[in-house]
Amino acid sequence: MTTLTREEIVRGLAENRESPNGAVRNAHAEALAGAAETSGDRALFREALDNLINAYLYSSESSRMLVPFARLLQEYDKDPGAFSHWDAHSLFWQFKWVATAISDSPGIPLESATGWLDEMERRYRIAGYSERPVREAELWLADAIGEDERAERAFRRWLAAERDDMSDCRACELNGQGQYAVLHGNDAEALELWKPVLDGDLTCAEEPHRLLATSLLPLLRLGRADEARSHHLRGYRMARGNESLLPSVGKHIEFCALTGNESRGLEILADHAAHVAPLANLDDRLAFHGGILVLLRRLRELGHGRTPAVPYEGTPRTVDELYEVLYAGCLDIARQFDARNGTTRVSDRFLVQVGREPLLAALPLGVRSAALPQTAPDPVPTPASPGSEPALTGAAFTDLVERARSARDLGHPGTDALWAEVAVRLDTQPEVDPLVRADLADQQALAAGRRGDKEAPELLSAVRDDYRALGLAERVALAELRLAGVAAQSGAVPAEVRALLRVALRSAEALDAAEPLRARRIALAELSAIRMESYLRSVETPDGDDHHDHHGVLAAELTDFVAAHEGTAADLVAEAEEMLGRVALAQGDPERAVPLLAASAARAVLAGRAWQAVDALVLRAGVLMTLERPEEAEAAARSALEHAAEVTDAETQGVVRLTLADILLQRGDAAAESAEHALAGAHWFDQAGLTADGGAHARLLLARAYAGDGRSAEAAEVLQSALADLLEHGDQQAVSVREFLGDLLRRLNEPRPAAEQYLLAAEITKDWEDPRPQAGLAHSAADTLNDAGLAVEAAAAYERALELHRVTGEVPVAEVRILRSLAWLELREEVTAGTVAGARKRMEEAARVLETALTADPGSPGLRSELAQTWHQLAQALDRHVNTNGQSHEDDDENTGDTGDTQDAGTEQLADAGAERAAPLSPAEVDRLRLEEIELWDRAARVYAELGPDHLRDRFQCLNNAAWTEQERGHADAGSARVSALIDEAGALPEDDVPDWLLPAAERLLAQLNDRD
């Protein structure tokens, strides 16, 4: 075995603390602890034990911390004086983790667990700590062993005990208090307790991660499904891949199983396939696998038992197989707890969990999930199978047929479903009217025609003959018209289609004058002929042939139709008006289309066919948005949604909601409502089998709505789930989507993946004629690489962005900010005469860019502000050079607010963190640099003063820096005079023109300067 040196162990411990949690980190920590013990350095050994305990804690092996903790406790008992105040505090803090680990380890006898709890209480009392953590540990042990009265006493003593620096953070305490409330059936009380954590007011390393998962079922039980959805999207993003949060992952899987999101649950399970194993921490294993079992049981009930799940111990498993092995393992763990605790409480709770029924049939989550594989359908009963459907009485069957006919005559969206029920019930009737069979055959033939089945003409001909035999001439005329439509749909030659249309029109005109439907049949034949004739003309004459004005002819024909039938067939006239509106759009006349579409919708509603108005209203809403009439567009879209209540077509439902969501999002103040409609739209597109098309666009809109509502984590989760689909819709959208995702990830403080998205987007644009998009993306990538601490990569990206911006010559501010960022990167590793000279060169180049731009636009406030900021930052860079020599002044910038340039502030902070001391400066050099700093700050302050009140804070910061630097030069009066002058200036202004913060800040600064004098 290779012996590590002390330096290697120290370096290894530092690296281990920064390593990802999990088995690899634990193994390394174990090796370091062994090496430290062998070294004989007791202080190093104690540090290594402490590190090992922490490594175990944040992994699925937390129960293994008992041994290193016992060793560390022995070290303390041997020589308490060897432990610093912080080391002793850390040891006593870890006692709480150990108490939990002991309670959660069924292999530790109950007497030992109780003994450890007593030992914790004794040591806390001797050390002068509150009993609060002890009582909390006692509560959970008592609850596990079924001693409810003791648990209640412990709970009350926990709350009554004083908080001190050994108490858990408020977020963790509220977690436990809420969980205790849930155990007693008080979901609402729990959620009220958890509110500060769930709202982000109280946070810690594992909160709100855990509580977002724990709150899911209480929210569902209280009917607060929208909040549950939000908590799932936010919480799973936080818990995903975190080994110490596997119980929380299990709760997210269970939530999916109980809300009709089984496919999402399977995807989460696949994400954590490596952890579906015999975990060392049995309590975590029971919690994680318990959630998985709820999903697996639900999948079995839905007929997916043979669907592949994930491997277990290296062997692929189906849902059925994985269920059996996990169920047996969990039940064994639960019984181990029961044997240790002397109660069946753990196994009882486990069985209740696994047996839970769904809380919602379907809760759309917004994220894209692959559909579950189709299961084999149950055999369809044959007509000879008696009792396959309960027979209807003759009167009930007659009523069903009449409802189906009424729906058919109205064109109601529910017609197909009614005739499908007639088909199921037909053979249960002792006698059936031949007309019923003919009507059913008519409906089936019509459906075949819509699908484009090749047998549709034959079926329609048979229907026509049946109606003719029954003496129903008006149905014969309708069948003749449908034959023409099927012929056109199948690509028959124009002459054949026209011949069939003539037959249909003659059949309609030949109807008896007393036939109530004669006028309607004629109108329908005429409108169908207009529509099909337009199609036939387009087939016969190419669109590029200027000799034929197809749209003009069609518009004239439709106009004549409306005039001829306005009083006889309102729904057909509404259809013709909608067609006229579409023709107007095709002719480039949206203003003419708007009233036509409105008239069509209104006429359909008056005719009792509100569903027919939906398409016209959706189209009208879109046209109104292009005409910049958003209020009218929103009204049209809302009306479409209202009238879509009876529409059964899933795609139409999706389009209606997507249209309204888009309009609301563009309104700027309705992001939350926009998200609701986009969410519903995505669900409907999924139902229509259009997940990759309409569903992807709905999810993009949902992500934008969430982002607009301040819900960045949910936005990122939704967008990432649809990313693959969205990237298939052209380069423009791919760039836009990747940039949007980069913005979201940056907002979530995930700079590395954010930079990756910007760079991928920039790669798409590299061959575009316009270099500006690539320049902007390279700049964003550079900023995020800088945020991630990747200085070399950031510098390369900044240089590329600078090169691209200079090609355009149109964005001087972008050039300037890049130059300033590069200047600060010069100072990141060390602050020497050389790096300061490099930074100065960049800053002066930035100033020249702005001065050149100002010659063309001398009054630009934006350019002048950037110039002042450049002088300001150059002064800061010079000041940093002085500070590295130990000649620092007190930097009171933190008292003066914003740095004035968010683009560069992060770079400056990183430079400060990485700065090393430069070669000493002589007093003369220091004074020369300070004089230059003062001159730069004064120059910047004068520009800020000219720019007015919006730049008061920037001006004050410059004045603050100049005043302190004057004092360091021994000219305190000069610094005080600057501040006094500002106070006098502010005092002479009207009270409303002076911000509340200015005078108090200036007077405080003056007092500080005088105190230092």
Side-chain angles (χ1 to χ4, degrees):
M1 177 179 176
T2 303
T3 302
L4 298 177
T5 66
R6 186 182 191 286
E7 290 72 21
E8 289 172 332
I9 295 171
V10 170
R11 186 165 58 251
L13 289 172
E15 293 172 354
N16 191 257
R17 292 186 192 99
E18 300 301 320
S19 299
N21 299 323
V24 174
R25 179 191 177 191
N26 293 352
H28 187 209
E30 290 165 359
L32 291 170
E37 184 175 20
T38 301
S39 74
D41 187 327
R42 306 315 297 172
L44 187 61
F45 179 47
R46 291 193 296 272
E47 183 181 354
L49 286 174
D50 179 82
N51 177 72
L52 181 56
I53 293 167
N54 280 274
Y56 282 145
L57 174 69
Y58 293 107
S59 75
S60 61
E61 299 178 312
S62 56
S63 58
R64 298 180 64 182
M65 74 173 72
L66 302 179
V67 172
F69 178 77
R71 297 290 304 277
L72 191 58
L73 196 60
Q74 289 174 2
E75 292 290 314
Y76 179 79
D77 289 340
K78 289 177 185 176
D79 185 7
F83 284 67
S84 68
H85 173 76
W86 169 249
D87 291 338
H89 181 278
S90 176
L91 177 68
F92 278 87
W93 187 273
Q94 290 167 350
F95 228 127
K96 299 185 297 180
W97 303 342
V98 170
T100 300
I102 289 171
S103 177
D104 292 345
S105 301
I108 297 177
L110 189 59
E111 295 78 11
S112 297
T114 303
W116 270 97
L117 191 62
D118 292 342
E119 180 68 5
M120 177 183 178
E121 181 175 10
R122 182 183 72 83
R123 287 181 180 263
Y124 271 42
R125 185 172 58 251
I126 292 172
Y129 291 123
S130 167
E131 69 170 347
R132 193 175 179 94
V134 180
R135 299 285 75 86
E136 182 181 6
E138 181 186 9
L139 160 65
W140 297 118
L141 179 61
D143 174 75
I145 63 180
E147 294 185 2
D148 292 339
E149 291 184 4
R150 180 185 176 189
E152 181 64 20
R153 287 195 303 273
F155 177 70
R156 296 192 180 284
R157 291 178 67 184
W158 170 26
L159 298 186
E162 291 184 4
R163 284 184 55 81
D164 61 9
D165 59 358
M166 197 52 60
S167 300
D168 281 344
C169 75
R170 289 289 297 142
C172 289
E173 283 202 333
L174 289 175
N175 183 333
Q177 292 166 23
Q179 288 197 55
Y180 188 69
V182 169
L183 287 175
H184 290 78
N186 299 324
D187 288 338
E189 178 185 338
L191 289 164
E192 188 61 29
L193 284 166
W194 293 335
K195 192 174 187 302
V197 184
L198 296 172
D199 289 349
D201 297 330
L202 296 173
T203 62
C204 71
E206 290 193 323
E207 296 298 355
H209 314 47
R210 295 182 302 167
L211 264 185
L212 286 166
T214 304
S215 66
L216 293 171
L217 296 194
L219 285 167
L220 289 176
R221 287 193 291 261
L222 292 172
R224 294 159 62 176
D226 289 343
E227 292 173 75
R229 177 195 300 112
S230 174
H231 288 193
H232 168 64
L233 294 178
R234 289 169 55 207
Y236 178 59
R237 186 175 186 82
M238 292 177 169
R240 179 169 47 212
N242 190 327
E243 195 172 278
S244 69
L245 293 176
L246 288 176
S248 295
V249 173
K251 290 173 183 176
H252 285 285
I253 292 174
E254 180 178 0
F255 164 81
C256 291
L258 300 180
T259 57
N261 289 287
E262 295 83 8
S263 61
R264 165 80 167 170
L266 269 179
E267 290 171 358
I268 296 175
L269 177 59
D271 285 345
H272 296 83
H275 297 109
V276 185
L279 304 177
N281 186 321
L282 295 186
D283 188 67
D284 279 5
R285 180 179 169 190
L286 187 62
F288 178 45
H289 289 182
I292 295 171
L293 282 166
V294 178
L295 171 68
L296 297 175
R297 182 184 65 81
R298 181 65 184 146
L299 288 168
R300 296 175 83 190
E301 291 173 351
L302 295 173
H304 295 284
R306 297 181 182 179
T307 297
V310 296
Y312 185 82
E313 295 189 313
T315 303
R317 308 280 179 161
T318 65
V319 166
D320 281 338
E321 292 165 346
L322 186 61
Y323 179 87
E324 295 299 337
V325 70
L326 294 188
Y327 185 85
C330 285
L331 195 58
D332 178 65
I333 294 171
R335 287 172 176 166
Q336 289 181 49
F337 274 107
D338 290 347
R340 194 275 302 266
N341 297 340
T343 173
T344 61
R345 172 155 289 181
V346 174
S347 58
D348 289 345
R349 286 177 175 171
F350 166 71
L351 293 173
V352 167
Q353 177 188 19
V354 176
R356 283 189 182 122
E357 292 299 320
L359 294 169
L360 287 174
L363 176 64
L365 298 178
V367 289
R368 187 202 201 283
S369 293
L372 291 172
Q374 292 293 318
T375 57
D378 293 333
V380 178
T382 64
S385 304
S388 61
E389 286 289 344
L392 291 179
T393 64
F397 182 74
T398 299
D399 178 66
L400 173 62
V401 171
E402 288 306 314
R403 285 189 285 117
R405 285 172 176 160
S406 296
R408 176 196 67 191
D409 294 342
L410 275 173
H412 192 280
T415 299
D416 288 347
L418 287 167
W419 283 112
E421 187 175 355
V422 170
V424 170
R425 307 288 188 179
L426 185 69
D427 291 320
T428 66
Q429 300 302 305
E431 294 183 14
V432 179
D433 185 345
L435 178 57
V436 174
R437 293 191 184 279
D439 284 343
L440 182 57
D442 182 29
Q443 192 67 23
Q444 293 168 342
L446 179 60
R450 287 197 298 260
R451 293 191 302 267
D453 295 350
K454 61 182 180 180
E455 63 269 20
E458 182 181 347
L459 293 173
L460 283 167
S461 295
V463 167
R464 177 197 58 194
D465 295 342
D466 288 344
Y467 280 135
R468 184 173 285 140
L470 292 168
L472 292 175
E474 62 91 7
R475 300 299 300 174
V476 172
L478 187 58
E480 298 279 14
L481 186 58
R482 287 174 178 166
L483 279 166
V486 167
Q489 182 180 338
S490 62
V493 296
E496 180 184 346
V497 176
R498 289 188 175 108
L500 290 170
L501 281 170
R502 287 194 295 271
V503 169
L505 182 57
R506 283 198 299 269
S507 293
E509 291 173 338
L511 292 173
D512 191 285
E515 168 58 55
L517 291 174
R518 182 177 183 275
R520 179 174 180 78
R521 291 289 175 261
I522 293 172
L524 181 59
E526 290 178 354
L527 183 59
S528 299
I530 292 170
R531 182 187 295 108
M532 282 186 264
E533 187 60 44
S534 175
Y535 160 72
L536 296 174
R537 286 195 296 266
S538 69
V539 170
E540 292 174 325
T541 308
D543 289 341
D545 191 333
D546 294 334
H547 297 293
H548 295 272
D549 180 7
H550 297 307
H551 292 138
V553 173
L554 178 57
E557 291 173 344
L558 290 169
T559 300
D560 291 343
F561 177 86
V562 170
H565 298 283
E566 192 164 8
T568 57
D571 60 311
L572 298 178
V573 173
E575 188 176 338
E577 287 174 322
E578 182 184 339
M579 292 173 64
L580 275 169
R582 293 180 184 276
V583 170
L585 290 175
Q587 293 175 317
D589 191 354
E591 291 285 1
R592 182 161 58 89
V594 169
L596 287 167
L597 294 169
S600 171
R603 198 181 299 274
V605 172
L606 287 173
R609 304 180 184 222
W611 56 87
Q612 187 180 324
V614 172
D615 286 347
L617 288 167
V618 168
L619 182 57
R620 183 170 183 267
V623 174
L624 287 165
M625 285 300 290
T626 65
L627 295 174
E628 299 183 357
R629 293 157 63 180
E631 294 83 4
E632 295 173 77
E634 182 180 335
R638 289 191 184 280
S639 183
L641 181 60
E642 176 188 352
H643 295 319
E646 296 179 273
V647 172
T648 57
D649 180 67
E651 182 179 2
T652 300
Q653 292 284 4
V655 169
V656 171
R657 285 160 174 79
L658 190 57
T659 300
L660 180 55
D662 191 19
I663 292 168
L664 290 171
L665 188 59
Q666 292 185 56
R667 200 175 84 182
D669 62 350
E673 187 184 356
S674 175
E676 293 176 13
H677 295 300
L679 176 68
H683 171 72
W684 281 110
F685 282 122
D686 290 347
Q687 297 298 305
L690 297 170
T691 298
D693 299 305
H697 289 295
R699 289 184 170 88
L700 175 57
L701 192 58
L702 176 60
R704 294 196 184 282
Y706 278 154
D709 199 31
R711 297 156 69 177
S712 298
E714 294 165 73
E717 195 71 9
V718 169
L719 187 60
Q720 285 176 308
S721 77
L723 185 61
D725 293 331
L726 291 166
L727 296 178
E728 296 299 317
H729 292 270
D731 284 354
Q732 289 283 355
Q733 177 159 292
V735 169
S736 173
V737 168
R738 286 201 183 279
E739 183 177 19
F740 177 33
L741 180 55
D743 293 344
L744 289 172
L745 294 172
R746 192 174 182 189
R747 201 178 302 170
L748 292 169
N749 196 28
E750 299 178 31
R752 288 175 183 251
E756 180 184 6
Q757 292 302 321
Y758 292 134
L759 291 171
L760 288 169
E763 180 67 18
I764 298 172
T765 67
K766 67 180 182 181
D767 295 324
W768 289 7
E769 184 176 343
D770 183 355
R772 286 175 297 181
Q774 188 184 2
L777 291 163
H779 192 168
S780 296
D783 285 340
T784 48
L785 289 167
N786 197 352
D787 293 342
L790 302 173
V792 174
E793 294 87 345
Y798 278 130
E799 293 285 6
R800 179 58 178 154
L802 185 61
E803 176 187 349
L804 291 164
H805 278 305
R806 283 176 170 167
V807 169
T808 69
E810 295 179 5
V811 195
V813 170
E815 287 186 54
V816 165
R817 291 186 174 182
I818 292 171
L819 288 165
R820 291 199 304 244
S821 295
L822 285 167
W824 287 113
L825 281 174
E826 294 269 5
L827 304 175
R828 168 168 281 174
E829 297 300 327
E830 57 180 358
V831 182
T832 65
T835 59
V836 171
R840 178 194 286 275
K841 181 179 178 181
R842 296 285 194 181
M843 294 286 191
E844 290 174 345
E845 185 179 358
R848 286 195 299 273
V849 170
L850 289 166
E851 288 162 354
T852 300
L854 280 165
T855 60
D857 187 9
S860 170
L863 293 174
R864 295 172 68 205
S865 172
E866 290 292 335
L867 183 57
Q869 184 62 226
T870 303
W871 292 332
H872 187 166
Q873 290 194 36
L874 175 56
Q876 289 175 314
L878 299 178
D879 191 55
R880 181 153 298 154
H881 190 22
V882 172
N883 290 343
T884 59
N885 193 37
Q887 305 293 333
S888 61
H889 61 74
E890 290 188 15
D891 186 357
D892 283 8
D893 280 3
E894 66 274 14
N895 295 324
T896 63
D898 195 281
T899 62
D901 192 336
T902 57
Q903 294 289 335
D904 307 307
T907 311
E908 180 183 345
Q909 291 163 4
L910 286 166
D912 191 32
E916 298 179 2
R917 294 206 174 275
L921 295 168
S922 69
E925 289 174 315
V926 168
D927 194 56
R928 177 182 58 78
L929 286 170
R930 283 178 171 163
L931 278 171
E932 186 176 0
E933 291 172 34
I934 292 167
E935 192 278 327
L936 286 166
W937 275 318
D938 282 345
R939 193 191 308 173
R942 286 194 295 273
V943 174
Y944 287 137
E946 293 168 3
L947 289 172
D950 290 344
H951 293 272
L952 255 177
R953 196 173 290 275
D954 295 318
R955 180 187 174 191
F956 183 75
Q957 187 173 350
C958 289
L959 181 149
N960 172 86
N961 295 345
W964 283 113
T965 307
E966 288 279 22
Q967 187 181 71
E968 288 171 349
R969 294 186 64 246
H971 295 76
D973 290 346
S976 298
R978 282 179 169 80
V979 182
S980 297
L982 180 65
I983 292 173
D984 292 341
E985 179 185 334
L989 293 173
E991 186 175 343
D992 292 343
D993 292 349
V994 181
D996 293 341
W997 61 269
L998 179 58
L999 284 174
E1003 288 166 355
R1004 184 170 61 251
L1005 174 58
L1006 184 60
Q1008 291 169 341
L1009 289 166
N1010 291 335
D1011 286 344
R1012 289 279 298 272
D1013 188 5

